[in-house]
Amino acid sequence: MTRQVYLSALALVCMLALSGTGSARAESVPPPEIAEQVELCSGCHGTDGVPVTEATPIIWGQEEYYIYVQMRDIKAGRRANEIMYSVVADLSKAEMRALGKYFAQRPWPSTSFKAQEGDDAIAHRMASAGQCAQCHLSAFDGDSRVPRAAGQLASYLEKTMLDFKHKRRMNAPDKASLLETFDDQDIAAMARYLASLQAH
Amino acid sequence: MFNHSINNNARYGLDTVRCTKMGEALMTALRNGVQGICGVAMGAALFLFPAVHANAQEVIGGTLYGDMGLVSQDMLSRAASDGNNFLHTNGNYNQTRYYPSRQIDTGNVGELRPAWIFQTEVVETMETTPIVVNGVMYATTAFNHVYALNAATGEQIWHYKHNMGPVTTYCCGPNNRGVAIYDDRVYMGTLDARLVALDAKTGKVIWDKEIADPELGYSETMAPTAVNGKILIGTNGGEYGVRGFVKAFDAKNGDLLWTFHTTAENSVGVWATRDATGRDMLRDVAAEKAALKKMGDPYKTLGGGVWQNPAVDLASNRIFFVAGNPSPDLDGSLRPGDNLYTNSLVAVDLDTGKYACHFQYIAHDVWDLDAVSPPILVDVADASGKMVPGVLHGGKTGHVYVHDRKDCSLIRYSEAMVPQENMWVLPTKDGARMLPGANGGVEWSPMAVDADLGLTYAINLHQPMTYHVESSPYPEGKLWLGGAFKVIPNEAQWGNVTAVDYNTGKIRWQVKTQQPMIGGILATAGGLVFTGEGNGQFKAYDSETGSLLWKFQAGAGVNAPPASYTVDGKQYIVVAAGGNTQLNYKRGNNIIAFTLAD
């Protein structure tokens, strides 16, 4: 599929998604220079912060610098993602920084996701071995260049960890080295545990 | 009275509701926390508990005797014999962390009680050393808040919250280890790699300068060092492919005076195959030489962070600091050579930043067993038994290294303070087990010295890990370990407090602790050492024998270096209890000052 077709398809999704919502809250009106991009992003990432597909991450309330770095890396080919590439390929650094800031300032949405029994024990064991809280902090809410994982979609978290493990995602190489040492069931449990951390 | 007063005391009028609630919380904390020693202090502590008001207060420095708010170079230079103030993160320029007052001693330490508890607004890892001058305390928190407190009562004078930029970098927690004080200003480095000068009286920003570009992985957690009109500071970033440095800024206006890069433009060195203790590091020198030919000198992204204070030798006008690990931590294939001056003790000229001497502990390190704990200047016995000016450093390897100050050369190293196994097995893809783990030994935790006893005190970790290597190119300012460290889940972890005779290298006494130790230690002329644990225990030991003499449960990890000071004839011991991100110890937000029960 060509890039134009992707963008048209995304725009359509976006229009459909937006048509179902009321007027945007005043404080969430994006600056005019990125308004068009925000509309495009919302097609998949959601007009209320809840993504429209399970493979799409929550970016409302995500760390500002992390959002920018992901766009930067996708544009530079360090993180492979065809759809996102077509979205960010022509964006300037200033636009990407502005998008990062805009989405970081939106409230993180609740998904009411519940973990399974036993997930927390597995997650704590993994976090202890992998020293996860050193960067993601004890509440897994991240900071700056480290993403918030708490309350993220379980499906996206699991896919991301497996993508690192199997070297499909390459822009944080040390995550691959670490996740290679964990098995898939434990990764799934960790994803559910993190997704269930809703209360903040 | 002490030499300052708080402006507008009336504005601290007690808010009944708030105080009642705080009182209840404190009563509960004391009931749960103090191990059988509450009684007397409790009532007093209720009244001393800080009522936090939004109104900014000012430190009033002027007195009958002159402006005691000013910290002169002379005061900083003679801090080692100052029985009132605590002016440096590590006590004095020699960094002995030895406090010369003896009011609290081995005979009465059992009567030590909390005088006050101050709760900051940041419940996250605390590594601050409170600085105390003329009865005013300056302490910092995670994410770069600074508080000025009345050191006798714990009342807040002012609170500064750094306006953090969106780009911060840290491998091991949003830490800050405190301020430096000079003249009428306090100085702090920030997570977004800035150096901030605040008015010590009001907390207002005087200047705020970028130290280095945070997008490239630079950040600050160390307290700066103030000396002769200069503010010295290094950088974090050994996990991010930075080029490490120590910089000197003009205390007045923040102008950069000099930069010493810790990775030399010729970083190759002498192809040392053995570490400081003579063990073979299993380097493949032929492969490294081939790589060097192909890729050139790797100095630009070679790491070498300096994230603890330098010691200042006023006699030779040199500073001594340790430089951290090379980047990427575990993957040596991208950085052929000895990687000078990573993992080294380094001395440079205070006025110019020019190189004076160095000693490298581990050339071409692939285990992140870097040199971190701040060096200490003390006279030591040389190989012939003659006392000479020396330098001590506590290594992540578990050894205390003893150097000759004139040329940085190694005189001796101590017995290992923690188990060492499989040194030096090379990291592998699936992980190779080696002890110590990458946190040490002695982590960043500063040691203390009692020169009368000829002992240095170190706190250690035993935390078995596997070392995994996987090569990847420099990921543009992102975490760049070149693999992974993994804590082995089913192996026991513990810590210890160790006293080492630095004139012989022998361990004098050692006390095991329930958890790996991180935070630091203080020695006093009262024959005591104070140090805290991840489980919330804050303890005093007999510095000569290691006997446990006192303990207090702080309710959160005590993982910050203690300090001591005297106000109005009362000696205090102070420590932050905020837990620790790196070892994931229970977080809190307390600064607790102790004094003897009346």
Side-chain angles (χ1 to χ4, degrees):
Chain A
M1 214 191 287
T2 66
R3 221 178 117 223
Q4 275 70 24
V5 178
Y6 261 129
L7 288 175
S8 309
L10 278 168
L12 181 65
V13 171
C14 152
M15 280 187 291
L16 289 172
L18 282 177
S19 64
T21 64
S23 61
R25 287 182 303 163
E27 70 267 28
S28 66
V29 173
E33 60 273 20
I34 54 164
E36 210 176 300
Q37 282 88 1
V38 167
E39 212 170 285
L40 189 62
C41 302
S42 303
C44 291
H45 290 281
T47 52
D48 55 356
V50 179
V52 301
T53 79
E54 292 214 320
T56 307
I58 293 170
I59 58 171
W60 278 36
Q62 186 52 280
E63 290 295 324
E64 172 182 340
Y65 187 61
Y66 174 79
I67 298 174
Y68 157 70
V69 167
Q70 296 314 301
M71 289 190 277
R72 183 196 75 180
D73 282 2
I74 289 164
K75 181 176 172 175
R78 282 188 290 269
R79 178 174 173 181
N81 185 311
E82 265 188 87
I83 294 174
M84 278 302 296
Y85 180 79
S86 58
V87 174
V88 302
D90 295 330
L91 295 183
S92 66
K93 178 172 180 176
E95 287 169 322
M96 292 190 284
R97 287 299 293 263
L99 284 164
K101 187 171 181 179
Y102 172 77
F103 285 111
Q105 288 174 347
R106 306 277 73 74
W108 185 276
S110 170
T111 66
S112 310
F113 185 86
K114 298 275 186 293
Q116 296 174 13
E117 201 173 323
D119 285 350
D120 57 344
I122 295 168
H124 284 129
R125 198 179 68 230
M126 279 181 76
S128 168
Q131 303 178 83
C132 303
Q134 277 203 29
C135 298
H136 290 276
L137 303 182
S138 55
F140 291 96
D141 48 6
D143 188 29
S144 185
R145 56 176 75 227
V146 178
R148 171 174 174 159
Q152 184 56 274
L153 300 186
S155 49
Y156 174 77
L157 288 167
E158 183 179 3
K159 177 183 181 315
T160 300
M161 286 188 274
L162 291 173
D163 281 353
F164 277 124
K165 176 175 172 171
H166 298 295
K167 299 210 168 47
R168 292 186 290 263
R169 181 167 165 185
M170 302 293 284
N171 70 327
D174 297 325
K175 299 302 303 238
S177 306
L178 184 63
L179 284 157
E180 278 163 18
T181 68
F182 295 108
D183 67 39
D184 291 6
Q185 288 81 2
D186 285 358
I187 285 173
M190 175 61 107
R192 290 190 299 268
Y193 169 79
L194 292 171
S196 75
L197 301 176
Q198 296 276 331
H200 63 284
Chain B
M1 268 310 285
F2 40 95
N3 296 321
H4 82 289
S5 62
I6 306 298
N7 196 13
N8 289 342
N9 271 333
R11 287 159 72 182
Y12 279 91
L14 293 179
D15 172 332
T16 315
V17 177
R18 173 177 280 167
C19 278
T20 307
K21 280 187 178 160
M22 283 183 168
E24 282 166 8
L26 186 66
M27 291 285 278
T28 310
L30 288 171
R31 268 197 300 272
N32 293 340
V34 183
Q35 299 186 332
I37 53 168
C38 274
V40 183
M42 201 185 287
L46 286 181
F47 290 103
L48 292 170
F49 196 84
V52 182
H53 287 242
N55 294 339
Q57 304 291 315
E58 275 198 24
V59 176
I60 297 298
T63 71
L64 188 60
Y65 309 102
D67 191 347
M68 298 296 285
L70 296 178
V71 176
S72 65
Q73 181 56 47
D74 186 48
M75 283 171 74
L76 291 170
S77 298
R78 59 179 167 76
S81 57
D82 184 338
N84 290 309
N85 300 313
F86 201 89
L87 298 175
H88 301 270
T89 296
N90 294 312
N92 48 66
Y93 284 131
N94 289 342
Q95 309 209 109
T96 56
R97 299 193 67 78
Y98 180 82
Y99 187 68
S101 289
R102 63 192 75 210
Q103 186 180 83
I104 300 166
D105 63 19
T106 52
N108 62 22
V109 68
E111 304 298 314
L112 208 56
R113 305 284 189 273
W116 51 260
I117 299 174
F118 180 79
Q119 302 187 347
T120 76
E121 75 170 48
V122 184
V123 184
E124 188 42 281
T125 186
M126 291 186 84
E127 299 188 351
T128 189
T129 294
I131 297 297
V132 181
V133 55
N134 298 326
V136 180
M137 176 181 296
Y138 301 94
T140 65
T141 71
F143 300 110
N144 296 115
H145 293 227
V146 187
Y147 288 91
L149 307 174
N150 180 325
T153 65
E155 285 170 305
Q156 178 178 313
I157 301 167
W158 53 254
H159 172 200
Y160 166 79
K161 184 175 179 177
H162 179 61
N163 183 20
M164 195 75 75
V167 187
T168 60
T169 311
Y170 46 84
C171 64
C172 317
N175 300 308
N176 185 269
R177 303 197 182 84
V179 300
I181 189 155
Y182 190 81
D183 204 356
D184 57 355
R185 297 175 184 180
V186 292
Y187 298 87
M188 174 176 64
T190 67
L191 292 174
D192 55 351
R194 304 191 71 84
L195 182 59
V196 184
L198 304 176
D199 183 325
K201 291 185 175 136
T202 62
K204 293 200 168 58
V205 177
I206 295 171
W207 51 259
D208 174 348
K209 298 268 173 123
E210 183 173 276
I211 296 170
D213 183 354
E215 285 207 39
L216 297 176
Y218 294 93
S219 70
E220 297 294 343
T221 56
M222 69 183 280
T225 293
V227 56
N228 292 350
K230 298 179 186 67
I231 304 300
L232 308 175
I233 195 160
T235 182
N236 299 342
E239 279 65 44
Y240 293 84
V242 303
R243 186 177 186 204
F245 56 71
V246 174
K247 292 186 179 188
F249 294 89
D250 189 322
K252 278 197 193 69
N253 51 28
D255 287 352
L256 180 65
L257 300 174
W258 54 254
T259 300
F260 174 82
H261 284 288
T262 54
T263 67
E265 283 184 35
N266 182 350
S267 68
V268 172
V270 298
W271 305 102
T273 56
R274 293 178 184 275
D275 75 350
T277 67
R279 279 170 287 200
D280 191 339
M281 298 180 293
L282 307 179
R283 282 175 75 176
D284 185 345
V285 170
E288 281 184 51
K289 283 184 172 168
L292 181 69
K293 213 168 176 179
K294 206 168 118 200
M295 65 181 70
D297 197 298
Y299 72 94
K300 282 182 186 160
T301 54
L302 191 53
V306 177
W307 43 290
Q308 296 293 318
N309 298 73
V312 180
D313 186 16
L314 294 166
S316 67
N317 205 43
R318 285 178 180 174
I319 62 168
F320 291 79
F321 54 87
V322 283
N325 58 283
S327 287
D329 301 47
L330 291 144
D331 176 17
S333 70
L334 298 176
R335 46 174 175 81
D338 291 355
N339 306 148
L340 293 175
Y341 303 100
T342 66
N343 291 12
S344 298
L345 172 71
V346 182
V348 305
D349 182 86
L350 173 58
D351 291 336
T352 62
K354 291 271 180 297
Y355 169 90
C357 61
H358 84 281
F359 180 88
Q360 190 173 37
Y361 300 104
I362 304 166
H364 193 77
D365 169 32
V366 289
W367 304 273
D368 190 24
L369 288 182
D370 54 328
V372 191
S373 178
I376 298 172
L377 307 183
V378 64
D379 287 349
V380 300
D382 71 6
S384 66
K386 193 176 118 206
M387 295 307 281
V388 297
V391 187
L392 308 181
H393 164 64
K396 276 186 172 180
T397 53
H399 297 292
V400 172
Y401 300 96
V402 182
H403 301 265
D404 191 324
R405 206 180 308 169
K406 74 173 185 298
D407 58 3
C408 296
S409 61
L410 186 70
I411 295 171
R412 71 179 60 83
Y413 56 92
S414 76
E415 296 177 76
M417 298 180 282
V418 291
Q420 297 176 328
E421 289 177 33
N422 303 333
M423 282 170 86
W424 296 100
V425 66
L426 294 172
T428 62
K429 173 120 186 13
D430 296 325
R433 178 181 177 276
M434 187 183 87
L435 301 183
N439 289 328
V442 184
E443 237 290 350
W444 61 270
S445 316
M447 301 194 301
V449 156
D450 186 326
D452 292 338
L453 298 173
L455 296 178
T456 187
Y457 305 94
I459 60 172
N460 282 275
L461 301 93
H462 170 71
Q463 193 186 32
M465 286 192 193
T466 46
Y467 293 79
H468 306 246
V469 62
E470 190 163 25
S471 193
S472 63
Y474 174 56
E476 305 294 320
K478 286 204 209 76
L479 189 69
W480 194 31
L481 301 176
F485 307 102
K486 205 172 163 191
V487 177
I488 302 172
N490 301 323
E491 286 204 43
Q493 300 182 24
W494 42 263
N496 69 48
V497 186
T498 305
V500 168
D501 181 337
Y502 49 78
N503 292 316
T504 63
K506 298 278 184 217
I507 291 172
R508 175 70 61 85
W509 57 259
Q510 192 165 50
V511 178
K512 202 166 166 179
T513 59
Q514 188 184 23
Q515 293 160 302
M517 294 283 281
I518 196 163
I521 190 162
L522 173 78
T524 75
L528 299 166
V529 290
F530 291 89
T531 188
E533 300 177 22
N535 57 18
Q537 295 282 2
F538 182 49
K539 293 178 176 172
Y541 300 90
D542 184 320
S543 53
E544 197 167 356
T545 64
S547 297
L548 178 63
L549 298 179
W550 173 83
K551 61 183 174 176
F552 175 83
Q553 173 52 254
V558 183
N559 306 111
S564 186
Y565 59 96
T566 303
V567 179
D568 205 20
K570 263 182 184 281
Q571 185 187 354
Y572 295 79
I573 304 291
V574 62
V575 75
N580 182 270
T581 301
Q582 188 173 348
L583 299 178
N584 209 15
Y585 292 146
K586 187 184 171 191
R587 310 300 198 278
N589 62 337
N590 293 317
I591 297 168
I592 309 176
F594 301 88
T595 194
L596 293 174
D598 287 328

